[in-house]
Amino acid sequence: MDLGKVITAMVTPIHPEKDKVCKKRIHHLVNHLIANGSDGLVIAGTTGESPTLSHDEKIKLFRQVIETNDGRAKLIAGTGSNNTAETIAFTKEVAELGGIDAVLIVAPYYNKPNQDGLYAHFAAVAEASDLPVVIYNIPGRSVVNIEPETIIRLAKLPNIVGVKESSGNLDNISKIIAETSDDFQVYSGDDSLTLPILAVGGDGVISVSSHVVGNEMQEMIQAFERGEVQKAASIHRELLPLMNGLFSVPNPAPTKYLLNQQGISVGPVRLPLVDLNAEQGTKLQAILEGLSK
């Protein structure tokens, strides 16, 4: 399964007055992302503020994205949690919607399972799922790191097709790429590591920056794949301040700020996150404007 090179971890548009997931804004955002470099979309992931979305809101979100997408981009639904039975049940429910290409399953957070527990969790979900499974390793949020040996072992299961690696450990990521089959896809979960991970054999990025520089991310990857390494490196260096700026305060507040400023109305973040203040917004806008100089 080819999920693409630039997959955007999509923010969830919220109506600013009603504090509800907004269908009209979802429609606008999906069309914007597909028109601006996104091969695929992750829906209800970390950047989509999944911890603050109810079950019904997630289903509403998935349905609207599926309808707007109309088969154009690959769609990956975030259905993971720290409860294996609930993850399986929700994944099965999402599969019945039709139009979803894969699911993103996060490492169980808070429970702090060991490696055997992590393997058993993902194996159980994969065995029960009709949809391909992408592992999501993000120890900064889940507390536990899925070790390379565990991911390599899971990659042998027929329904586990890839991993979003947000550990930041390039040595571990290199080991995963070296010891899994060519059709197991390894994605950077950090925009700033996209080019380094490509250099060691990775497949692309599940990106936040692509909300605003999706075409530039595509250009960087395509240049690298054509062997134009210096051009790819130059684009990487140019985009790096924005990549870092989008995490200057908790994600996705900076991304939502820039989208709203550009007329792509996605509303506010939900508590316990807070929107950017005026000073933070001004600094971020200056970084974005600096890219075009």
Side-chain angles (χ1 to χ4, degrees):
M1 163 168 269
D2 182 6
L3 295 172
K5 297 295 182 181
V6 176
I7 302 169
T8 299
M10 194 182 88
V11 302
T12 298
I14 301 293
H15 194 289
E17 285 83 35
K18 299 178 181 178
D19 191 33
K20 292 182 178 180
V21 174
C22 182
K23 291 178 67 174
K24 182 179 179 180
R25 288 171 170 82
I26 294 167
H27 177 81
H28 190 194
L29 176 61
V30 169
N31 283 329
H32 164 77
L33 293 175
I34 293 173
N36 288 277
S38 295
D39 299 315
L41 304 173
V42 166
I43 321 159
T46 303
T47 306
E49 299 177 82
S50 57
T52 68
L53 298 177
S54 70
H55 171 274
D56 290 347
E57 284 180 321
K58 289 179 182 178
I59 294 297
K60 176 182 177 180
L61 174 63
F62 295 152
R63 282 179 172 153
Q64 184 57 47
V65 174
I66 291 166
E67 179 183 325
T68 299
N69 180 55
D70 194 26
R72 291 176 292 168
K74 296 294 185 181
L75 299 183
I76 306 171
T79 60
S81 73
N82 62 346
N83 181 319
T84 305
E86 286 190 5
T87 297
I88 290 170
F90 189 42
T91 300
K92 287 182 175 180
E93 182 179 1
V94 169
E96 292 174 359
L97 297 176
I100 296 294
D101 297 287
V103 290
L104 184 71
I105 306 297
V106 68
Y109 41 86
Y110 194 77
N111 315 62
K112 297 179 71 172
N114 61 18
Q115 296 301 306
D116 287 339
L118 289 167
Y119 178 87
H121 173 80
F122 284 101
V125 175
E127 183 178 3
S129 174
D130 292 331
L131 291 170
V133 171
V134 178
I135 300 164
Y136 185 12
N137 186 30
I138 183 162
R141 291 181 182 269
S142 66
V143 183
V144 295
N145 182 56
I146 313 173
E147 297 295 339
E149 293 78 9
T150 303
I151 294 173
I152 292 163
R153 186 181 170 200
L154 285 166
K156 296 175 182 178
L157 300 179
N159 205 34
I160 295 185
V161 299
V163 61
K164 176 185 178 182
E165 253 294 345
S166 298
S167 67
N169 189 319
L170 195 58
D171 289 350
N172 286 353
I173 295 167
S174 299
K175 180 178 176 67
I176 292 165
I177 293 167
E179 298 185 29
T180 55
S181 64
D182 290 343
D183 59 358
F184 183 77
Q185 295 175 78
V186 178
Y187 288 95
S188 174
D190 299 295
D191 282 305
S192 62
L193 286 180
T194 302
L195 190 57
I197 287 176
L198 288 173
V200 296
D203 294 278
V205 60
I206 297 179
S207 173
V208 174
S209 302
S210 55
H211 282 90
V212 288
V213 288
N215 290 327
E216 291 83 352
M217 298 288 288
Q218 281 282 5
E219 185 183 6
M220 179 181 71
I221 292 173
Q222 290 169 16
F224 177 82
E225 292 184 335
R226 291 193 303 266
E228 299 173 7
V229 177
Q230 291 301 323
K231 180 177 180 180
S234 177
I235 297 170
H236 166 82
R237 291 192 298 270
E238 182 180 0
L239 296 180
L240 193 57
L242 179 64
M243 293 173 179
N244 292 332
L246 289 173
F247 288 86
S248 57
V249 302
N251 177 46
T255 302
K256 282 194 161 184
Y257 173 86
L258 287 182
L259 288 170
N260 286 325
Q261 289 293 308
Q262 294 176 341
I264 310 298
S265 179
V266 293
V269 293
R270 276 181 167 170
L271 290 172
L273 300 181
V274 293
D275 294 317
L276 270 63
N277 61 38
E279 181 182 357
Q280 292 165 339
T282 299
K283 288 181 179 179
L284 186 61
Q285 189 68 40
I287 293 171
L288 181 61
E289 291 171 358
L291 295 181
S292 58
K293 293 181 180 178

